[in-house]
Amino acid sequence: MLFSSITFLFAFLPAILLVYYISPRKLKNTVLMIFSLFFYAWGEPIYVFIMMFSIIIGYVLGLVTDRYMKAGKKKHARAAVICAVSSNLLILIYFKYIGFFVENIMHIIGLKVPEIIIKLPFGIDFSVLSPALPLGISFYTFQILSYSVDVYRGTVKPQRNIISLAAYVTLFPQLIAGPIVRYETVCDELDNRRESIDDFGEGVKRFIVGLGKKVMIANVAGELYSTLSVLSANDNTVLLSWICSIAYTLQIYFDFSGYSDMAVGLGRMFGFHFLENFNYPYISKSITEFWRRWHISLSTWFRDYVYIPLGGNRNGKWKTIRNIFVVWLLTGFWHGAEWNFIIWGLYYFVLLMIEKNGLLKKLEKAPKLIQHIYALFFINIGWVIFSYDNMSSLKHAFANMFGMGGLPFINQKTLFYLVTYGMFLIIACVGTTPLPKKIGEAVIRENGKTKATLGTLAQLLFLFAVLMISTAFLASDAFNPFLYFRF
Amino acid sequence: MRNKLITALFIVYILIFAVGSLVARDRVFSDMENRNLTQFPIVNAKAVLNGTFSEQFEKYMSDQIIAKDFLVKLKVTENLALGEKYINGVYFGKADMLIQEYDNSYNQLSKNLGYVNEFVNANPDLDCSWMIVPNACYIYSDRMPPYAECYNQGEVIGYIIANVSQDIKIVDCSKALMEHKSEYLYYKTDHHWTMHGAYIGYSVLCDALKISPTPEEDYDIELGSDSFYGTQYSNAPTFTQSPDDILLYNNPNGSYKVDYYDKDITMYSLYNMDNLEIKDKYTTYLDGNHPFIKITSNSSNKEKLLVIKDSYAHSLLPLLADNYSEIYVVDLRYYHQSVSELAKSLDISKVLFINNLEFLSTDDNFLWLN
């Protein structure tokens, strides 16, 4: 179930809010867990059991790790945590990457991938060598991993109540598309939280803004991208292939950050405070800065659970480079079991290394405009790599963009797309900057009684309009994809 | 205070839609969108476990939401307000025209051409003509939105003429329509031509068939409805769209009888006036789509005519009825028996195909011809 769906907005959400708020304090986590399991099972009626299995492993081995730590048996504790981490990693590797590995190995050997199908009851086929990817597995596995490691490190106390732990892992706002909420961020709130009308109101604002970003901007940009990316050579031009890549760049930002906004907002409606996941990544002046602003929960996860455990930058230049390489290889691969994601990760490794070794210092002396153009250019190229999992279409797309595809620069169709989507593209570009937020804050700033009332009115009207138009898009069966099915 | 108001707004909003959609009776058909709506899906273990239940349920929820028609209009109006000129296959042209897209790949067209040629060659005794009607995007090309392209239908007609059998006469009315392109030839909100457009086609057809057309001023032209919202509007409805007029050409000297064999109904008018009250008012002309009908008139010409057509013919045949006392009309989308046998059994020697180019380039029912 997508947050951006009629079913979520007008069936699931009212139901869980009602049940949650009439339930006694003791049962609130149970309510969250049951509704979250239902939310997950709605899209993954079978795989919900794999998630439950992962939670049980994390729970039991978390307690075991803690007991050994307290008894001073560090080696035993280490064994327990390794057991927890490796079993969850194995589940992730099997469901997400087995198909990719088998296919590539077979390709090298020159054999066909054998089809091994297990027939499950109710006519469900399970393909052993290329299983379907469970929704959100990369997100919840990373959350359980961080919990196991943090218990071992002693930075968090183990959760003794399995329902609280299950409520944390399955918490529907962040379950299928992030952000990756660390256990330490919410452990206090899991057992002692106070919902308030202020939090709820703030949550509603974030949720509506996120919904609008996803439905009114990301989906429209996505539809434009999907039209332009399959344009025949007769219609395509150099300019259109650039517009196509920009449409994707806009789609993925508004989709992903819109989802994170909705997650943060929904969390607050239930009294949770998640960390921010995006911080206007497209206003970055370098790639280094971009990765401090984009999908923050993922980059900090890799920093804390891969880069630093590998030794970080403390063991000399070459080991540091190796560690950074590993992080970016894994970051790329985390986004999907395809070569283009690996290339995309390594592309950023190369860019970041170049910046680290002098380019960043030189850039800082350049005019700001040049810095922005530089960063956006490489971010946009990165998304082109990201968007094509087929190598020959990727090559084709680049050839078209850089004038080697034998296409004209511009034609009548290009002008048509510029005229019909020009205003939308401008609005979307402005939407990636903090400008709309600043304007909004200026309008609702409270100074003097009449102005404050007008500000409130303006804010309510704005939220109502976004909610209504988003509902209209959803009720019209407009283009509404889910981009994270590979993650 | 602000957060209280925002909370209240949100709760009330989701409750109105939740409770409203729950209480409101499910609709079977949407008049505005002209399609069946999803009903509550079947629940069983298999459907739940393989995910089809949740998929169907989500479709059901978005189809049966209250105020759906209003919401669909709101969405398209927002697209339009941001400058989009091409929504759901519809171009938003000048003068409130919703123009149907036309993108010819010659793929289906050449197949259909092959079927027609095969029919003509297999029936050398039949005197065959083929009336080809261009669409609004060609005749009204100057009303298309800026820079919007429509495949040149003049070229397509040229292709047909070059590839069609010598034994069939092509009646091309695009030149005549072009000369009248400032007139009300096509509906703003529907993909059909108006009865006035059909009259221009009719006069070209009469020239080709060497019969004399009824002068346009001899008709009593009746305004059947001034609130017609057609199929193009259904695809892309907005709050601002102006409706179309349905004009009915009545020949005061004519008397007619129409047999609708599939429904076993006989009407003594070329128009089903009841349909002026429904959403798709274009079905007023000869009661819309039927597999096989017979039009009988008091014309002095006793020659029988067999017409094989699409729905563009519905507003043209009422005019042609004055020139033939017996017209048999077949629609290949619904009539799947041998047309040659039919011609033989009815003792017919004259056959007229009537097709618009969009139909000719996309429809895959011409195979029933042979």
Side-chain angles (χ1 to χ4, degrees), chain A residues 1-2 5-7 9-11 13-14 17 42-43 45-46 121-124 197-202 204-205 207-208 216 220 223 235 269 412-413 415-417 419-421 423-424 427 444-446 451-453 455-456 459-460 463-464 467-469 471-478, chain B residues 1-11 13-19 21 33 35 44-51 53-55 57-63 65-68 70-76 78-86 88 91 103 145-150:
Chain A
M1 193 183 320
L2 301 178
S5 74
I6 298 292
T7 310
L9 284 175
F10 305 126
L13 190 57
L17 284 173
W42 184 258
I46 310 288
F122 301 107
I124 294 161
I197 198 115
D198 258 329
D199 264 339
F200 200 99
E202 292 298 323
V204 166
K205 270 192 258 173
F207 179 78
I208 293 176
M216 290 162 62
V220 176
E223 196 172 17
D235 292 332
M269 292 185 206
Q412 197 176 331
K413 206 174 203 88
L415 290 172
F416 177 69
Y417 276 103
V419 168
T420 42
Y421 283 97
M423 176 121 86
F424 166 78
I427 291 172
I444 63 170
R445 187 170 298 136
E446 299 188 28
K451 234 186 158 184
T453 322
T456 309
Q459 190 174 21
L460 284 172
L463 292 172
F464 177 73
L467 196 52
M468 194 77 188
I469 295 174
T471 311
F473 270 77
L474 296 176
S476 312
D477 293 322
Chain B
M1 184 58 197
R2 251 181 207 172
N3 279 323
K4 273 186 195 156
L5 286 172
I6 290 168
T7 302
L9 168 83
F10 186 68
I11 298 290
Y13 184 89
I14 61 174
L15 280 183
I16 286 175
F17 277 102
V19 175
S21 303
E33 294 176 75
R35 66 178 181 94
N44 59 39
K46 190 175 171 178
V48 169
L49 288 176
N50 66 19
F53 172 75
S54 47
E55 202 176 295
F57 184 85
E58 296 207 18
K59 277 194 189 138
Y60 163 76
M61 284 293 290
S62 60
D63 267 8
I65 189 173
I66 48 163
K68 166 129 174 141
F70 166 81
L71 291 169
V72 173
K73 276 190 207 174
L74 180 63
K75 187 255 172 192
V76 179
E78 195 258 16
N79 289 150
L80 204 60
L82 283 187
E84 278 187 50
K85 297 279 184 217
Y86 172 73
N88 287 345
Y91 285 104
D103 193 9
Y147 306 116
E149 283 172 304
C150 186

Side-chain angles (χ1 to χ4, degrees), chain B residues 7 62 67 124 149 166 196 200 272 281 362:
Chain B
T7 302
S62 60
E149 283 172 304
Q166 296 295 316
H196 176 56
I200 290 166
N272 181 354
K281 300 185 192 332
T362 54

Side-chain angles (χ1 to χ4, degrees), chain A residues 25-171:
Chain A
R25 172 68 41 201
K26 268 187 178 169
L27 288 179
K28 285 200 191 300
N29 281 348
T30 315
V31 169
L32 275 183
M33 182 193 73
I34 290 172
F35 272 89
S36 296
L37 284 173
F38 176 83
F39 177 87
Y40 190 77
W42 184 258
E44 294 286 14
I46 310 288
Y47 283 157
V48 68
F49 296 103
I50 292 163
M51 181 169 68
M52 287 156 94
F53 179 69
S54 288
I55 292 168
I56 293 167
I57 294 177
Y59 173 74
V60 173
L61 290 177
L63 290 179
V64 171
T65 308
D66 180 61
R67 178 161 299 176
Y68 283 131
M69 287 301 279
K70 283 201 177 118
K73 296 181 180 168
K74 224 179 158 196
K75 270 192 183 160
H76 288 74
R78 202 180 165 83
V81 75
I82 286 172
C83 186
V85 168
S86 51
S87 51
N88 272 313
L89 268 182
L90 278 175
I91 293 175
L92 178 66
I93 290 167
Y94 173 69
F95 281 101
K96 189 164 170 179
Y97 299 106
I98 189 83
F100 178 77
F101 288 134
V102 169
E103 198 188 305
N104 280 289
I105 291 167
M106 289 309 215
H107 185 75
I108 292 165
I109 310 174
L111 292 175
K112 271 205 166 154
V113 180
E115 275 226 48
I116 306 173
I117 305 257
I118 296 179
K119 293 239 176 258
L120 298 177
F122 301 107
I124 294 161
D125 288 344
F126 180 77
S127 169
V128 177
L129 291 182
S130 58
L133 182 66
L135 207 56
I137 190 169
S138 305
F139 290 102
Y140 74 71
T141 305
F142 270 36
Q143 298 199 165
I144 300 175
L145 289 180
S146 78
Y147 167 74
S148 302
V149 172
D150 286 354
V151 169
Y152 172 72
R153 285 176 176 168
T155 46
V156 298
K157 283 190 198 136
Q159 178 55 258
R160 300 199 177 272
N161 184 342
I162 191 166
I163 290 183
S164 297
L165 187 70
Y168 154 68
V169 176
T170 62
L171 207 58

Side-chain angles (χ1 to χ4, degrees), chain B residues 32 69-81 84-85 87-88 90-92 96-98 188-189 229-230 232-243:
Chain B
M32 196 183 78
D69 290 355
F70 166 81
L71 291 169
V72 173
K73 276 190 207 174
L74 180 63
K75 187 255 172 192
V76 179
T77 308
E78 195 258 16
N79 289 150
L80 204 60
E84 278 187 50
K85 297 279 184 217
I87 302 166
N88 287 345
V90 176
Y91 285 104
F92 282 76
D96 241 6
M97 278 294 297
L98 304 182
K188 293 179 283 183
T189 68
Y229 288 99
Q232 296 303 98
Y233 177 80
S234 293
N235 289 334
T238 57
F239 295 112
T240 49
Q241 180 64 45
S242 58

Side-chain angles (χ1 to χ4, degrees), chain A residues 225 241 245 248-249 340 344 379-388 394 397-398 401:
Chain A
Y225 163 76
S241 48
S245 70
Y248 188 77
T249 296
N340 66 311
W344 178 75
I379 292 166
N380 190 60
I381 296 297
W383 291 129
V384 177
I385 302 172
F386 193 90
S387 63
Y388 290 96
L394 178 61
F398 275 128
M401 287 170 74

